[in-house]
Amino acid sequence: MAWLHRHLIKNDPDRQIARSPDRPRHSFRLGQPTNFSGKVRKCLAVMGEADRSTIAKLEISGFSFFGINSGSNPNSREITLRVNPITKTHAEADAFQQAADAGVRGRKARLIVDRDLCAACGLRGGVNSMAWQLGIEELDIVTPSGSKTIMVKPPKTRRK
């Protein structure tokens, strides 16, 4: 993850990523013209399947939150968002939980992940559920396979 972050900072000519060694989150000015998603996709393509860590970046309300899967995260946090047990261990949940802990909410957001969403996060609604809990109505999802925009819906719950 450190290599990815150094690479993104070094290759951001607009200097839109503010780096601070004493803060785990990094600010990113949204609304500025940038090809940041393209930069991330190119950078992530360099990383191979041998790298077992998954990295996610959630951009919401002018803030960016970087998440890493719990198996590779030395500072793993408790996921208090209501989500399926598989998604709780994933980088996406780490990024959404950081936003929730910081009290950041917003109608629109962007999620950038260095791998395609798994079934638990995608098809079974883990990402949608977490986005709903943060008040997100429209979520852009960027993965190595491309990008798509979803309109966030109320999560489905199991009947008891």
Side-chain angles (χ1 to χ4, degrees):
M1 183 166 105
W3 172 86
L4 172 65
H5 189 246
R6 280 194 310 273
H7 181 78
L8 292 175
I9 298 257
K10 184 175 122 188
N11 292 304
D12 184 19
D14 303 327
R15 298 287 181 234
Q16 292 183 342
I17 301 175
R19 187 170 190 208
S20 174
D22 57 332
R23 287 181 48 196
R25 295 184 307 272
H26 304 279
S27 299
F28 179 81
R29 291 189 305 273
L30 296 177
Q32 303 273 334
T34 183
N35 185 20
F36 192 73
S37 297
K39 291 176 190 178
V40 170
R41 227 183 338 260
K42 287 176 189 172
C43 178
L44 296 176
V46 175
M47 300 173 71
E49 287 298 316
D51 179 14
R52 299 181 56 91
S53 299
T54 299
I55 308 286
K57 177 183 179 188
L58 178 65
E59 299 170 350
I60 180 172
S61 297
F63 294 95
S64 291
F65 300 94
F66 290 86
I68 186 168
N69 59 310
S70 63
S72 302
N73 193 345
N75 302 313
S76 61
R77 71 192 83 256
E78 180 184 2
I79 305 300
T80 58
L81 294 170
R82 287 186 51 130
V83 69
N84 67 64
I86 296 172
T87 298
K88 277 190 177 192
T89 64
H90 291 187
E92 297 90 334
D94 187 29
F96 276 98
Q97 185 65 52
Q98 289 177 53
D101 291 347
V104 177
R105 298 174 63 84
R107 292 183 52 201
K108 293 179 83 172
R110 179 184 305 163
L111 178 66
I112 304 169
V113 187
D114 68 338
R115 299 175 200 258
D116 292 337
L117 297 184
C118 69
C121 291
L123 290 175
R124 294 193 184 93
V127 166
N128 180 80
S129 175
M130 293 183 292
W132 177 263
Q133 293 171 68
L134 292 183
I136 298 169
E137 296 173 7
E138 185 178 320
L139 180 65
D140 294 326
I141 302 173
V142 180
T143 66
S145 295
S147 62
K148 67 178 179 178
T149 301
I150 64 167
M151 301 310 289
V152 178
K153 299 176 180 152
K156 296 177 182 175
T157 57
R158 290 188 173 181
R159 295 180 192 158
K160 294 183 179 187

